[in-house]
């Protein structure tokens, strides 16, 4: 696990694709979100969204293989708190994933598909940048009101 | 060191799971094993006491979804109690209160099972 602090409020963390590192990711993000001025409630939302993004990468992009990098780049400026999460795993087509009608989804006892729904519900903006064979990036943004 | 722990308590005819700490993709398999074990032994009335549960992600919620249908088929249920606002908010975002009964106190959840059995 590597952590780096750069100029202009840019902070970085690289972990291996192991679920045992999720707590480090949460500590890193919650510390920075709190420092930026978010309320405890908003800090919890941002932290959960980033956990969901990393969990999806471990499960789907890396298919639970545990020795691949996940790179988090946190950029906090003006009122914008942006976390870019990059992996080099299987490319992902965000358009192919239709967000479920959650009421219908849970009534049919489906157990998956909650992660993306949570990310979209918890953050102000979720963007994907996919460069097949190079890297996948998801950018989560929350604005400080 | 584990940041998640489960204590199982027999409150016949109900089994109470006391969850403590952080329930995420890393710790969810432990909860899954506990549910498998209870169901294998024929225990289908389950109360999940969330008093000391600090955090839950969708990996944890997925475990409840994986077993609720099984226990309901056997006339049992998974009910929740003592949930913090923070944990409840995640349940609520996904519409889980539509599917699960959530009680303020563990005793209320246990009584609900007892009342259902005495009918």
């Amino acid at each position: 696990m590597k952590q780096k602090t750069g100029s202009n409020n840019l902070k970085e963390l690289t972990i291996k694709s192991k679920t045992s590192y999720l707590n480090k990711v949460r500590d890193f993000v919650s510390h920075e979100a709190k420092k930026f001025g978010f309320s405890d409630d908003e800090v919890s939302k941002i932290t959960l969204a980033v956990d969901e993004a990393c969990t999806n990468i471990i499960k789907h992009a890396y298919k639970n293989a545990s020795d691949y990098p996940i790179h988090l780049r946190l950029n906090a400026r003006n009122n914008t708190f942006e976390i870019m999460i990059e992996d080099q795993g299987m490319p992902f087509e965000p358009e192919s994933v239709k967000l479920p009608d959650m009421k219908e989804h849970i009534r049919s006892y489906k157990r998956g598909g909650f992660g993306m729904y949570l990310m979209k519900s918890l953050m102000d903006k979720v963007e994907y940048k996919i460069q097949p064979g190079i890297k996948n990036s998801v950018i989560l943004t929350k604005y400080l009101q | 060191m584990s940041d998640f722990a489960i204590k199982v308590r027999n409150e016949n005819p109900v089994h109470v799971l006391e969850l403590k700490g952080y329930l995420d993709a890393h710790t969810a398999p432990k909860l899954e094993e506990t549910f498998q074990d209870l169901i294998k032994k024929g225990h289908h009335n389950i109360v999940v006491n969330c008093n000391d549960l600090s955090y839950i992600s969708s990996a944890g919620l997925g475990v409840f979804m994986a077993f609720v249908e099984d226990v309901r088929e056997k006339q049992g249920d998974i009910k929740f109690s003592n949930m913090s606002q923070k944990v409840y908010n995640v349940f609520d975002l996904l519409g889980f209160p539509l599917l699960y009964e959530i009680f303020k106190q563990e005793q209320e959840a246990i009584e609900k099972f007892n009342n259902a059995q005495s009918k």
Side-chain angles (χ1 to χ4, degrees):
Chain A
M1 193 181 64
K2 284 183 217 154
Q3 195 168 341
K4 233 169 31 175
T5 304
S7 56
N8 301 326
N9 298 319
L10 189 71
K11 299 260 169 72
E12 295 179 80
L13 173 75
T14 302
I15 59 159
K16 283 188 176 171
S17 51
K18 285 184 185 171
T19 54
S20 56
Y21 286 119
L22 287 172
N23 60 351
K24 305 287 176 213
V25 168
R26 293 195 297 267
D27 288 348
F28 169 68
V29 173
S30 63
H31 177 76
E32 295 302 328
K34 207 174 174 94
K35 214 167 73 183
F36 193 61
F38 285 113
S39 67
D40 287 348
D41 184 46
E42 287 167 317
V43 170
S44 298
K45 288 180 178 173
I46 297 166
T47 307
L48 176 56
V50 176
D51 175 322
E52 296 294 345
C54 292
T55 298
N56 274 352
I57 290 169
I58 294 169
K59 279 190 185 168
H60 303 297
Y62 289 133
K63 309 272 182 215
N64 292 312
S66 62
D67 212 21
Y68 293 95
I70 300 176
H71 186 64
L72 288 96
R73 189 174 301 164
L74 197 154
N75 193 356
R77 61 188 190 282
N78 304 322
N79 71 332
T80 306
F81 191 81
E82 185 185 275
I83 310 119
M84 181 190 271
I85 307 158
E86 292 175 341
D87 69 79
Q88 292 155 22
M90 295 277 289
F92 160 71
E93 289 174 42
E95 302 81 20
S96 69
V97 180
K98 198 170 159 262
L99 281 185
D101 173 333
M102 207 36 80
K103 281 185 189 171
E104 285 305 313
H105 195 67
I106 63 161
R107 279 191 178 129
S108 51
Y109 297 109
K110 298 241 169 64
R111 72 171 294 186
F114 298 130
M116 273 183 82
Y117 183 89
L118 277 177
M119 279 191 265
K120 292 215 168 174
S121 308
L122 296 164
M123 300 302 286
D124 292 320
K125 201 161 83 179
V126 179
E127 284 173 281
Y128 292 91
K129 285 185 185 163
I130 309 299
Q131 297 169 267
I134 303 167
K135 66 179 178 185
N136 310 310
S137 314
V138 55
I139 305 153
L140 305 176
T141 308
K142 190 88 172 169
Y143 301 108
L144 186 65
Q145 302 299 324
Chain B
M1 196 187 74
S2 174
D3 44 11
F4 178 67
I6 309 170
K7 214 160 100 183
V8 183
R9 191 158 31 88
N10 186 353
E11 295 278 348
N12 194 32
V14 176
H15 278 73
V16 177
L17 301 189
E18 293 176 18
L19 307 188
K20 186 176 179 181
Y22 292 76
L23 179 52
D24 63 4
H26 188 58
T27 57
K30 199 169 177 175
L31 179 62
E32 199 156 344
E33 279 171 30
T34 305
F35 268 104
Q36 274 165 351
D37 191 44
L38 282 174
I39 290 169
K40 207 166 75 185
K41 289 176 179 158
H43 304 311
H44 302 117
N45 298 334
I46 298 163
V47 172
V48 182
N49 183 326
C50 302
N51 195 52
D52 296 321
L53 185 65
S54 315
Y55 177 85
I56 190 163
S57 73
S58 69
L61 296 163
V63 177
F64 305 124
M65 291 304 281
F67 294 102
V68 68
E69 208 174 356
D70 289 348
V71 296
R72 286 182 182 171
E73 275 172 8
K74 302 268 166 52
Q75 283 68 54
D77 198 12
I78 301 170
K79 301 184 195 295
F80 294 86
S81 78
N82 302 73
M83 210 175 261
S84 68
Q85 190 61 44
K86 183 182 158 187
V87 169
Y88 180 80
N89 288 346
V90 184
F91 270 69
D92 195 36
L93 259 180
L94 293 172
F96 274 41
L98 281 173
L99 195 65
Y100 295 98
E101 286 188 291
I102 302 169
F103 296 88
K104 279 206 170 117
Q105 300 298 329
E106 179 192 301
Q107 196 51 38
E108 298 169 53
I110 293 174
E111 276 165 19
K112 189 78 192 276
F113 275 115
N114 289 335
N115 294 341
Q117 289 227 332
S118 61
K119 272 180 191 167

